[in-house]
Amino acid sequence: MLLHHVRPHRRALLAGAVLSLVTGATGLALPLVARALIDDLADDRSITGPLFLMSALVIANACVGALGAYVLRRTAESVVLAARRSLSSFLLRLRISAVDRSEPGDLMARVTSDTTLLRQVTTDSLVGAGTGGLTLLATLVMMAVVDPVLLAVTVSVIAGAGCVIGLIVPRIHRASRQAQESVGLMGAALERILGALRTVKASGAEHREEQAVHAAAEESWRQAVRAAKWEALAGNTAGLSMQVAFLTVLGFGGARVATGAIDIGTLVAFLLYVFYLMSPLQELVQAVTQYQVGAAAVARIQEARRLPTEPQRPPAPLPAPGAAPAALAFEDVRFRYGPDLPYVHHGVSFRVPPRGMTAFVGPSGAGKTTVFSLVERFYDPEAGRVLLDGRDVRDWPIPELRSALGYVEQDAPVLSGTLRDNLLLGAPDTTDDALEEVLRTTRLDGLTARLPEGLDTRVGHRGTKLSGGERQRVAIARALLRRPRLLLLDEATSQLDAVNEAALRDTVAEVAGRTTVLVVAHRLSTVTMADRIVVMDAGTVRAVGSHRELVTADPLYAELAATQFLASPDPG
């Protein structure tokens, strides 16, 4: 999984690894030059040559090391960028059912926090393991050349430390995974609160919600500290082993010098190699520990990538002006939002001919909004068929299907950004004339005249700078700009005042004259102007007809009409 993220950047990683190896090679040459310098001093020869060579090696080591570090860090940032782009694109294609089962804050943490850890695992683990391992091997070879006996002493000490580190590594992985999961839970808790901050404040629930966020943050802290404890223990074990190795070599090597087995220059060179051995050894230990951290992050990224998505297809063009309106039919549709949840639709069937307005009415929970979700293919029915122009919506390419639809949700969401960005969200190529016409139609022209920067005024997070009625009008305008062949309005005028509702009612009536309009509504003014009304109750269609017909023919509709003011005093 990790190599999947790294493979596109393998050349840059290889270049950085080569530079790191060159840095290591220049370092390995220093002890040999130092031994030559000591031998020259002992024999009273000139040390100009060894000093010059040593200076050149030190300078080369610093320059090449700096260049290698830059190349590796830049490559690591490129890996993070690619992972974030890929994962964010993937999440945008998630099926709505997958989003319903997930916490948005946790998904955000996987794009931000988890991908950041790829930076460490790219440089510290993959490259670090390779360069550190090769440098360690080269150093051991050079130590064998200098004195095999002292090498055996050194390796025996390091092997003991390796056994200890091998016991620590799995604990680092577990703690790192739990720490990242806690970060996701904290993100989910924050997203939950910020998404309904006014409700939280109005309910006086700041303290209780604060405790939930703090609990998640503290759990992340505990697991991160636990991982840090094991990482520190692994690193210090490696450092301690090198100190023990140095002291052992110093004592044992000193005895060999005293017996004449080796000269003082050889001992100094070997001690320098012991010092030099610390760097690749610690690099290798860090590579192993950082891999455990990165592996936990990669696992969480892969978990997100296993969520079900919609097929990736290119965008479809919007309907041409004057395109034929669409026909819709439900045939014995059964649907529920999850296998452990009750059915919302129990064999829903109805037909909507092209052009005209169809209103859906019924008690709360009757399944009216679900009709729109199935038309948009946010969900697929378990049984039955949803037909658009006589063709099952599951046979339509999703971009082509949705390009034919205009949808105004019940809560009329507005995105952070400018008013223009929101209006052109689904129709970015709209001309200025078409935009001005829709602004007049939806009575948004007065709003844009009042705003300080007109259409370029920022509307705030979720449109907080707009009133509820203004957000609804923005959502309706956004849908109309798409020139839909089928317009879905889910209680789209519920927050409008009487004047604006009357204006938009006339607009909807005009639109219904040239396209197909489906509305979920409760108000008399909307229902009575519909060409047909579909009465739903408990996931079934009870009756279909006009307002006049249903008031006298269907008891439920008559009751709804009386209690929700859907009927005039004299139904006749």
Side-chain angles (χ1 to χ4, degrees):
M1 289 187 294
L2 182 59
L3 289 176
H4 167 76
H5 294 283
V6 172
R7 190 174 292 113
H9 310 278
R10 56 187 180 275
R11 291 182 179 176
L13 277 177
L14 181 62
V18 169
L19 289 171
S20 296
L21 289 175
V22 171
T23 304
T26 57
L28 285 174
L30 282 172
L32 296 179
V33 177
R35 183 171 68 173
L37 186 147
I38 292 173
D39 291 341
D40 288 345
L41 284 173
D43 296 338
D44 199 26
R45 293 194 297 266
S46 171
I47 60 171
T48 303
L51 278 177
F52 177 80
L53 181 58
M54 186 175 291
S55 300
L57 287 172
V58 169
I59 294 172
N61 185 277
C63 294
V64 176
L67 180 60
Y70 167 74
V71 170
L72 289 178
R73 182 58 184 268
R74 188 179 187 277
T75 306
E77 294 293 346
S78 298
V79 171
V80 172
L81 172 62
R84 285 176 174 168
R85 293 175 62 178
S86 173
L87 185 56
S88 59
S89 297
F90 181 87
L91 294 181
L92 286 174
R93 298 196 305 274
L94 285 180
R95 293 191 64 85
I96 296 296
S97 56
V99 178
D100 291 343
R101 296 192 301 268
S102 306
E103 291 285 355
D106 182 54
L107 294 178
M108 290 167 57
R110 296 177 195 238
V111 176
T112 54
S113 175
D114 290 343
T115 55
T116 299
L117 294 177
L118 291 176
R119 178 191 303 128
Q120 296 170 281
V121 80
T122 299
T123 53
D124 295 344
S125 292
L126 292 182
V127 177
T131 58
L134 288 174
T135 305
L136 179 65
L137 182 61
T139 304
L140 292 175
V141 169
M142 297 302 294
M143 293 170 79
V145 171
V146 173
D147 191 82
V149 177
L150 292 180
L151 173 62
V153 174
T154 305
V155 170
S156 63
V157 175
I158 295 174
C163 294
V164 175
I165 293 171
L167 297 174
I168 295 173
V169 164
R171 292 173 169 81
I172 297 174
H173 177 79
R174 286 195 297 271
S176 299
R177 177 65 183 268
Q178 291 167 354
Q180 286 303 109
E181 289 176 351
S182 298
V183 170
L185 292 175
M186 183 177 67
L190 272 174
E191 193 275 337
R192 171 177 174 269
I193 295 168
L194 295 177
L197 189 57
R198 296 186 183 190
T199 301
V200 171
K201 287 182 176 294
S203 303
E206 295 100 326
H207 181 66
R208 292 193 301 276
E209 297 298 331
E210 179 184 55
Q211 288 178 327
V213 175
H214 287 185
E218 288 169 7
E219 178 62 21
S220 176
W221 174 82
R222 279 192 294 270
Q223 297 301 335
V225 168
R226 183 180 166 204
K229 175 185 68 177
W230 292 116
E231 288 181 40
L233 183 58
N236 281 308
T237 298
L240 178 62
S241 69
M242 294 311 303
Q243 293 177 22
V244 172
F246 175 78
L247 294 175
T248 304
V249 168
L250 183 62
F252 195 77
R256 286 173 61 76
V257 170
T259 60
I262 58 174
D263 56 37
I264 188 65
T266 299
L267 177 59
V268 170
F270 197 92
L271 288 173
L272 287 175
Y273 276 123
V274 172
F275 270 119
Y276 191 80
L277 195 64
M278 292 181 66
S279 177
L281 185 62
Q282 288 183 333
E283 190 175 10
L284 205 56
V285 171
Q286 187 178 19
V288 173
T289 56
Q290 288 301 319
Y291 174 77
Q292 303 308 313
V293 177
V298 170
R300 280 174 47 81
I301 292 172
Q302 291 305 115
E303 279 180 4
R305 295 189 69 88
R306 284 194 289 269
L307 293 173
T309 60
E310 297 174 345
Q312 186 175 10
R313 296 177 182 271
L318 296 177
L328 178 70
F330 272 51
E331 294 183 350
D332 197 25
V333 170
R334 291 174 58 82
F335 171 75
R336 56 183 171 176
Y337 285 100
D340 55 341
L341 297 175
Y343 280 94
V344 179
H345 282 175
H346 303 270
V348 170
S349 297
F350 62 84
R351 289 188 177 276
V352 177
R355 196 174 282 106
M357 181 189 302
T358 299
F360 290 81
V361 299
S364 177
K368 304 182 296 295
T369 297
T370 303
V371 168
F372 291 1
S373 295
L374 293 175
V375 174
E376 285 274 1
R377 277 206 71 192
F378 296 150
Y379 308 93
D380 289 327
E382 286 191 10
R385 296 193 302 168
V386 179
L387 304 175
L388 188 71
D389 290 339
R391 180 182 175 191
D392 194 317
V393 293
R394 286 171 290 199
D395 296 333
W396 285 70
I398 288 181
E400 184 180 338
L401 171 70
R402 291 178 183 160
S403 71
L405 307 176
Y407 182 33
V408 179
E409 298 175 62
Q410 198 170 70
D411 55 353
V414 173
L415 281 67
S416 177
T418 67
L419 181 58
R420 186 189 304 274
D421 293 337
N422 276 276
L423 291 168
L424 301 182
L425 182 66
D429 297 328
T430 300
T431 64
D432 291 341
D433 291 342
L435 178 58
E436 290 177 6
E437 175 62 27
V438 169
L439 290 176
R440 283 194 296 271
T441 299
T442 54
R443 296 213 170 184
L444 283 171
D445 50 348
L447 171 65
T448 57
R450 294 194 307 270
L451 292 174
E453 297 180 55
L455 287 173
D456 296 316
T457 301
R458 304 191 70 83
V459 297
H461 178 61
R462 298 188 179 182
T464 52
K465 296 181 181 179
L466 303 177
S467 69
E470 289 168 345
R471 287 197 296 272
Q472 283 194 321
R473 280 182 279 160
V474 168
I476 293 171
R478 184 167 57 208
L480 293 177
L481 286 171
R482 290 171 60 81
R483 302 187 299 272
R485 298 178 56 226
L486 174 63
L487 179 61
L488 310 173
L489 303 175
D490 193 355
E491 298 191 44
T493 60
S494 59
Q495 299 187 56
L496 298 181
D497 57 64
V499 174
N500 283 310
E501 185 202 355
L504 281 175
R505 185 176 67 241
D506 295 340
T507 298
V508 171
E510 179 188 347
V511 171
R514 61 178 184 269
T515 191
T516 308
V517 179
L518 272 60
V519 298
V520 173
H522 294 109
R523 295 184 181 180
L524 170 68
S525 55
T526 303
V527 173
T528 55
M529 66 186 288
D531 298 291
R532 70 198 59 80
I533 300 168
V534 178
V535 183
M536 299 188 67
D537 182 30
T540 62
V541 174
R542 285 178 55 98
V544 179
S546 67
H547 171 70
R548 185 183 298 273
E549 294 168 347
L550 293 173
V551 164
T552 57
D554 186 72
L556 175 62
Y557 183 82
E559 180 183 354
L560 290 171
T563 57
Q564 299 184 22
F565 306 100
L566 289 177
S568 60
D570 179 11

